[in-house]
Amino acid sequence: MSEFDIVFWYWWVAAVAFLGLEILVSGFFFLWLAVAAFVTGALLLVVPVMGFNVQVLLFSAMAIAAVLAWRRYASAKSQTSDHPLLNRRGAQYVGRTFNLVEAIENGQGKIKVDDTIWKVHGDDCPVGGKVKVVAVNGTVFDVEICR
């Protein structure tokens, strides 16, 4: 088996390839692999007699450290929203009461919420009856009849 010599710029090419992947995929994962590959290449430029196993070990250690450091930083900087239901439209209506615009028959009916008609699931109830939204299953509300 012949020895394959890795030179520093091979790692830099790998870094550029990881940056290309980072552009295609979200999440900042490949960015840190690119940083680790670039640093490994820079170390190999300074210490050209470094064996391939050592290079791979350095790259792996730096990549793991960089990803873990990023995850820790990102979780520390994450902010909680003051509108946690902003993009969960149906969940915004849980707990509110509405009048039925279509009777609930065989467990299915409809309510009007603002400018939208929503399907509801619950006990049978006539048109105009008041129901309270208790849960959301996709685009269907689970309701209970208000007494």
Side-chain angles (χ1 to χ4, degrees):
M1 192 164 136
S2 67
E3 183 74 25
F4 182 67
D5 287 334
I6 300 288
V7 290
F8 70 94
W9 59 267
Y10 288 7
W11 285 105
W12 291 353
V13 168
V16 171
F18 284 131
L19 286 176
L21 286 172
E22 181 61 37
I23 291 170
L24 298 175
V25 180
S26 64
F28 292 107
F29 178 74
F30 290 106
L31 175 66
W32 303 115
L33 296 183
V35 169
F38 180 79
V39 172
T40 302
L43 288 173
L44 188 59
L45 179 64
V46 174
V47 185
V49 293
M50 192 181 324
F52 182 68
N53 293 341
V54 175
Q55 295 172 36
V56 171
L57 181 66
L58 280 173
F59 169 74
S60 301
M62 284 188 285
I64 290 170
V67 169
L68 291 177
W70 167 249
R71 295 184 103 194
R72 174 175 265 187
Y73 173 79
S75 67
K77 290 290 182 183
S78 68
Q79 298 176 351
T80 57
S81 172
D82 55 343
H83 299 287
L85 302 176
L86 182 63
N87 292 323
R88 296 175 35 212
R89 186 174 175 203
Q92 297 173 11
Y93 301 120
V94 173
R96 291 180 56 188
T97 58
F98 299 96
N99 292 327
L100 288 169
V101 294
E102 184 178 307
I104 300 176
E105 295 175 351
N106 299 323
Q108 300 292 324
K110 292 182 181 176
I111 60 173
K112 184 173 185 178
V113 179
D114 299 328
D115 60 346
T116 307
I117 302 292
W118 291 77
K119 288 184 179 178
V120 295
H121 179 263
D123 296 332
D124 288 355
C125 184
V127 172
K130 276 195 176 267
V131 292
K132 180 178 180 181
V133 176
V134 293
V136 180
N137 291 320
T139 60
V140 178
F141 290 142
D142 288 339
V143 295
E144 64 183 21
I145 299 170
C146 294
R147 309 248 181 235

